[in-house]
Amino acid sequence: MTDASADQSKWSMVGKDPWTMPIEKIDLSHPGIWQANEFLPFMERLRLEDPVHYCAESAVGPYWSITKYKDIMQVDTSPEIFSSEPTIGIVDTYDEYTLPSFISMDPPKHDEQRRIAQPVVAPANLKRLEHLIRQRVCNILDELPLETEFDWVKEVSIELTTQMLATLFDFPFESRHKLTFWSDAATAIPGAGVVSSNEERWAAMEECLQVFTCLWNERVNAEPGNDLVSMLAHGEATQNMPPMEYLGNIILLIVGGNDTTRNSISGGVLALNENPAEYDKLRADRSIIPNMVSEIIRWQTPLAYMRRTALVDTELGGKQIKAGDKVVMWYASGNRDSEVIDRADEFLIDRDKARQHLSFGFGLHRCMGNRLAEMQLRILWEEIMQRFDMVEVVGQPERVYSSFVKGYTHLPVRLHGLN
Amino acid sequence: MVKIKFIEHSGQEHDVETNPGASVMIAAVSNSVPGIDADCGGACSCATCHVYVDQEWLVKTGEINPTEEAMLSLSTDRKDNSRLSCQIQVTEDLDGLVVTMPEFQF
């Protein structure tokens, strides 16, 4: 695997002019422009001039970028042409460390495994959890200081999503911060802050497997419960899965339930600060919150892309894609496609058809936890508005060094109470 | 005009009139019937326009296509009479159709 941080200067697009550089050199996969928040104009140029774009040379090899909403929809809903195997990440997996999980499987195995995990985040189960989620949100918010600067990412976004994960796994509550570390380590680029090497990353994954194997052994000998580990241990399609497949599915559920919602929690605060008129709309009418939640998820697009691999030669947008080619659906770009989304470059919390965004993907791999994410964000904003006139951003946000996880490492804020 | 009755999980009924040609999902959304999200806009790729078709109408609403079957099979609320309303085309034959909504859209 290429250590992307080591050759940052060679591949980075940071500081380049997106409108005058040779279009074939545009490389959205490099994390630099994502961390520097410079990715939007590169995507805009591709949508306008070359919506199905081939990048022949990059740190992660050649790949196609799909940037228009409708083309993304077509790829996402054609699993017989665009496979999720062997991986949905832009970096090719290397055999000894391959972590199989249903996000990177095609039917029928995908469907069988997903059906086991699905009930835990099905709306009926979530309804039972709503009271507990609200209680935990209130506890977190009530502990926050007024009129004092602190890091929203650490104190709220991470804390809330980690508590939620511990609940869904029935994971020992006092050790819950390990979940955050494993989630960060799983998607980290070595050298970019979380882990310094691949060996360190894999040490974290092995620790994760050990802890979850203990939980498995405990639950497999008990009556079936409502938590994810118990469901996997007792589910017909999952009870005999090899250790690496178990780890793969655990990591999938940790990352899926952690990084994503975390960054929408932070991203919503930032978007409302950058759009004060929208914050005023929210203050005037809190019934707008469910609609705002969808708009926040579109605006943030917490996972910037999903990768597919062409199984056969095919044509898309007039381009010839060959069997074996990497095809990257840039949800972060499709969500700004003004051909499908009115005033796509504006954050409008009362927009019409706010639910029609790409952040959850579409088709068989559509985000399993979408209703949980929406519920967490809805409850959080209902409780924020009960307590604070404003969550004010008081410094520059710092962003994740990744073209996959689109999010924040720090967001300095100050809370102002209701008058 | 074709009359369709949508019944929410709570029992609340909504009677709408619509022109043949569009889908049952469009009939619901354009008449502001709550409980049909239709996140994908009718592309049979999200399963958020799930309905239960009254038994007597099952034959007239047509066959489930393979994509629809694949999406429905991932829903925890799947029943024998489940359909995605974006995949049911409104025809004159469906005048009087009754569909019920699940408690939640996935």
Side-chain angles (χ1 to χ4, degrees):
Chain A
M1 175 177 160
T2 312
D3 184 343
S5 58
D7 52 18
Q8 181 166 8
S9 54
K10 182 181 171 194
W11 296 107
S12 177
M13 303 265 110
V14 174
K16 292 191 178 163
D17 183 345
W19 296 101
T20 57
M21 70 178 290
I23 196 161
E24 67 276 10
K25 296 284 183 200
I26 290 183
D27 173 14
L28 295 177
S29 75
H30 192 277
I33 47 170
W34 298 89
Q35 185 177 42
N37 197 28
E38 292 178 11
F39 53 93
L40 283 171
F42 290 98
M43 297 193 307
E44 189 182 351
R45 183 169 177 210
L46 292 188
R47 284 198 305 275
L48 284 168
E49 298 177 23
D50 194 20
V52 177
H53 171 265
Y54 191 65
C55 177
E57 282 189 327
S58 82
V60 294
Y63 66 94
W64 293 92
S65 280
I66 315 301
T67 53
K68 297 279 288 179
Y69 189 107
K70 284 180 178 161
D71 291 333
I72 290 169
M73 198 76 176
Q74 189 176 336
V75 172
D76 227 357
T77 56
S78 309
E80 67 290 350
I81 299 173
F82 299 103
S83 170
S84 293
E85 299 176 8
T87 174
I88 49 82
I90 212 161
V91 180
D92 284 310
T93 46
Y94 33 115
D95 293 341
E96 73 183 298
Y97 291 136
T98 299
L99 274 186
S101 66
F102 63 82
I103 199 173
S104 50
M105 286 174 190
D106 292 330
K109 205 171 171 196
H110 160 271
D111 304 13
E112 290 161 11
Q113 294 205 353
R114 175 171 167 150
R115 268 186 223 118
I116 308 297
Q118 190 130 355
V120 80
V121 285
N125 204 32
L126 296 182
K127 199 176 174 187
R128 286 193 284 277
L129 284 175
E130 174 156 0
H131 180 68
L132 182 62
I133 295 179
R134 191 176 297 277
Q135 223 170 27
R136 292 192 162 157
V137 167
C138 292
N139 289 345
I140 291 171
L141 295 181
D142 287 339
E143 291 295 310
L144 298 172
L146 283 178
E147 304 299 342
T148 307
E149 185 178 325
F150 67 92
D151 181 11
W152 182 262
V153 173
K154 177 167 180 275
E155 304 298 334
V156 181
S157 308
I158 291 181
E159 193 51 44
L160 176 57
T161 43
T162 306
Q163 290 192 13
M164 219 58 283
L165 270 181
T167 308
L168 292 177
F169 284 114
D170 196 9
F171 191 85
F173 202 66
E174 62 286 359
S175 312
R176 65 188 183 277
H177 296 291
K178 289 195 165 191
L179 295 168
T180 320
F181 172 62
W182 293 328
S183 172
D184 290 343
T187 56
I189 295 169
V194 181
V195 291
S196 57
S197 65
N198 258 320
E199 288 66 37
E200 200 180 316
R201 197 163 81 88
W202 278 94
M205 295 298 96
E206 274 162 23
E207 186 200 14
C208 175
L209 177 59
Q210 268 175 17
V211 172
F212 271 95
T213 301
C214 291
L215 292 179
W216 175 293
N217 292 339
E218 182 187 301
R219 313 257 158 99
V220 78
N221 293 311
E223 287 296 301
N226 276 330
D227 66 277
L228 272 164
V229 176
S230 180
M231 281 181 184
L232 292 174
H234 291 277
E236 206 175 307
T238 47
Q239 60 190 356
N240 295 317
M241 58 169 70
M244 280 297 135
E245 201 164 312
Y246 177 48
L247 178 61
N249 279 302
I250 291 292
I251 291 293
L252 167 62
L253 297 163
I254 294 178
V255 174
N258 187 47
D259 270 344
T260 52
T261 313
R262 176 206 300 183
N263 289 318
S264 291
I265 290 173
S266 306
V269 168
L270 185 59
L272 285 167
N273 273 263
E274 288 172 342
N275 298 274
E278 300 305 299
Y279 215 147
D280 287 340
K281 279 185 201 166
L282 173 62
R283 287 187 194 98
D285 179 11
R286 294 181 199 173
S287 72
I288 224 167
I289 288 175
N291 206 74
M292 176 181 81
V293 163
S294 290
E295 176 68 346
I296 287 173
I297 294 168
R298 176 185 78 93
W299 193 249
Q300 181 56 33
T301 320
L303 294 180
Y305 74 84
M306 283 286 163
R307 170 233 172 133
R308 299 290 183 258
T309 304
L311 291 172
V312 292
D313 292 357
T314 188
E315 193 194 299
L316 186 71
K319 300 289 182 78
Q320 301 298 319
I321 295 175
K322 299 276 180 218
D325 284 358
K326 272 189 212 185
V327 178
V328 178
M329 302 176 284
W330 292 100
Y331 295 144
S333 173
N335 273 338
R336 296 295 188 102
D337 184 351
S338 52
E339 248 176 53
V340 176
I341 297 169
D342 284 341
R343 299 163 72 185
D345 279 326
E346 293 173 59
F347 175 73
L348 300 168
I349 66 173
D350 53 353
R351 77 162 52 245
D352 198 24
K353 296 183 187 165
R355 301 190 58 86
Q356 289 185 23
H357 59 72
L358 291 169
S359 300
F360 295 132
F362 281 114
L364 294 175
H365 290 279
R366 182 173 164 80
C367 173
M368 191 175 86
N370 66 32
R371 299 288 169 177
L372 173 63
E374 289 173 350
M375 183 183 188
Q376 281 180 266
L377 287 164
R378 172 176 58 79
I379 293 172
L380 176 69
W381 279 102
E382 285 168 359
E383 297 301 331
I384 287 174
M385 298 311 290
Q386 292 280 349
R387 288 166 175 75
F388 312 119
D389 181 60
M390 187 174 188
V391 184
E392 187 191 3
V393 175
V394 292
Q396 284 301 312
E398 289 172 28
R399 292 176 164 83
V400 180
Y401 184 72
S402 169
S403 56
F404 180 60
V405 174
K406 186 168 163 292
Y408 308 87
T409 51
H410 296 287
L411 185 66
V413 300
R414 189 176 293 145
L415 298 176
H416 305 293
L418 295 171
N419 295 327
Chain B
M1 292 295 265
V2 176
K3 289 195 175 82
I4 303 176
K5 186 188 287 292
F6 292 90
I7 307 174
E8 290 184 62
H9 183 76
S10 64
Q12 176 77 40
E13 297 185 1
H14 304 267
D15 293 302
V16 310
E17 290 195 7
T18 187
N19 286 312
S23 67
V24 170
M25 177 278 279
I26 294 287
V29 171
S30 56
N31 286 283
S32 303
V33 175
I36 301 282
D37 290 334
D39 292 1
C40 76
C44 196
S45 53
C46 70
T48 63
C49 66
H50 185 188
V51 295
Y52 304 121
V53 175
D54 266 25
Q55 291 296 336
E56 57 187 297
W57 293 95
L58 269 179
V59 174
K60 282 186 179 167
T61 47
E63 294 281 305
I64 296 181
N65 67 57
T67 312
E68 182 183 356
E69 178 59 44
M71 291 310 303
L72 276 172
S73 74
L74 296 176
S75 169
T76 46
D77 298 328
R78 172 75 198 269
K79 293 183 189 169
D80 290 344
N81 59 340
S82 285
R83 289 296 308 270
L84 295 183
S85 56
C86 71
Q87 299 301 302
I88 306 174
Q89 186 112 4
V90 177
T91 61
E92 299 286 358
D93 281 355
L94 292 187
D95 192 22
L97 174 68
V98 180
V99 299
T100 307
M101 263 92 85
E103 187 173 7
F104 307 101
Q105 294 291 350
F106 170 67

